[in-house]
């Protein structure tokens, strides 16, 4: 059976696994963004706290994904819970780093002008700093999404959702005619999702960024 014939016969599985893959990545990115932006906002003005948060989130990325998934298996079981927790942890670093970079990159003169207009600390953050830092922040979210799309495939070892099911099934059947098709289908699915998410983030950035700073 050729690869195209395989895709045709397993098209419903491709769609189902694709929706699962996109859903778990989307949820994890959302959680990582909320937590990461909050940590960035809370620490960007304090060098010691900033360094600590960056060090911790960076250290998480050094943990092999196989090891982290297995470690979470005990307390969280199989499936979605350990997958979402692991992906959220892996997604923090780019969001935190870019939030801090974006906020620290705001021109001090702009902040002084806003302060002179009577804006308090919270108003300056919400009306001036975060909007100006937004293009940098959303770039971090985009990087997180692309990283998590790949890591999600490994979650199949704990019965996680997504295209990892095809990939690991294919690896388990090495030597059989269908093995290569399974692995290629899983890899192709992840690549297609990466392109779609990239287009989504490009569109969101264009729509949510002020024309003056695009």
């Amino acid at each position: 059976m050729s690869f195209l014939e395989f895709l045709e016969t397993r098209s419903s599985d491709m769609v189902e696994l694709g929706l699962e893959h996109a859903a778990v990545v989307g949820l994890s990115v959302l959680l990582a963004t909320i937590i990461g932006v909050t940590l960035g906002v809370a620490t960007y003005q304090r060098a010691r706290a900033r360094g600590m948060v960056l060090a911790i989130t960076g250290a998480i990325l050094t943990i092999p994904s196989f090891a982290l998934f297995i470690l979470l298996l005990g307390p969280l079981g199989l499936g979605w819970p350990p997958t979402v927790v692991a992906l959220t942890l892996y997604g923090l670093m780019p969001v935190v780093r870019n939030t801090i970079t974006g906020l620290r990159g705001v021109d001090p003169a702009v902040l002084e002008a806003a302060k002179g207009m009577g804006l308090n600390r919270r108003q300056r953050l919400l009306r001036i700093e975060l909007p100006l830092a937004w293009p940098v922040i959303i770039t971090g979210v985009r990087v997180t999404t692309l990283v998590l799309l790949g890591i999600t495939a490994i979650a199949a070892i704990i019965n996680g959702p997504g295209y990892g099911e095809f990939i690991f099934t294919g690896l388990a059947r090495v030597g059989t005619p269908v093995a290569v098709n399974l692995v290629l289908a899983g890899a192709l699915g992840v690549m297609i999702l990466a392109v779609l998410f990239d287009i989504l983030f490009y569109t969101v950035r264009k729509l949510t960024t002020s024309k003056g700073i695009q």
Side-chain angles (χ1 to χ4, degrees):
M1 180 185 295
S2 70
F3 181 57
L4 291 179
E5 290 173 337
F6 175 84
L7 289 179
E8 184 177 353
T9 59
R10 302 296 293 272
S11 59
S12 60
D13 291 332
M14 286 289 291
V15 172
E16 181 180 352
L17 292 177
L19 292 175
E20 291 179 0
H21 204 109
V24 75
V25 169
L27 176 58
S28 302
V29 168
L30 176 61
L31 293 174
T33 300
I34 293 172
I35 298 170
V37 171
T38 300
L39 289 173
V41 169
T43 61
Y44 80 102
Q45 291 184 318
R46 295 177 290 173
R48 187 172 182 178
R50 181 171 70 244
M52 184 178 299
V53 167
L54 289 173
I56 293 173
T57 55
I60 292 172
L61 280 177
T62 67
I63 303 174
S65 51
F66 273 96
L68 184 56
F69 282 128
I70 296 302
L71 287 174
L72 293 173
L73 191 59
L76 298 176
L78 295 168
W80 279 69
T83 302
V84 171
V85 171
L87 294 180
T88 300
L89 290 174
Y90 279 126
L92 289 176
M93 175 60 177
V95 179
V96 172
R97 181 190 60 203
N98 279 41
T99 299
I100 291 174
T101 300
L103 290 173
R104 289 181 60 80
V106 176
D107 190 343
V110 174
L111 297 179
E112 284 298 319
K115 190 175 182 180
M117 294 171 60
L119 272 64
N120 58 35
R121 176 72 191 87
R122 181 172 177 274
Q123 290 172 326
R124 293 197 301 273
L125 175 66
L126 296 178
R127 298 184 185 181
I128 307 296
E129 294 177 89
L130 282 175
L132 290 176
W134 176 243
V136 180
I137 294 172
I138 198 170
T139 298
V141 177
R142 172 181 169 272
V143 170
T144 284
T145 304
L146 297 179
V147 169
L148 296 190
L149 281 168
I151 296 177
T152 300
I154 302 174
I157 64 171
I158 55 170
N159 202 31
Y163 286 119
E165 180 180 330
F166 269 0
I167 295 172
F168 276 82
T169 301
L171 293 176
R173 298 182 181 179
V174 169
T176 65
V178 75
V180 174
N181 286 339
L182 283 167
V183 174
L184 285 177
L188 177 64
V190 173
M191 292 171 61
I192 291 173
L193 285 180
V195 172
L196 293 177
F197 269 107
D198 212 32
I199 294 172
L200 173 64
F201 277 108
Y202 175 80
T203 304
V204 170
R205 177 172 176 169
K206 292 287 289 184
L207 294 177
T208 60
T209 302
S210 172
K211 291 185 179 179
I213 57 176
Q214 283 184 1

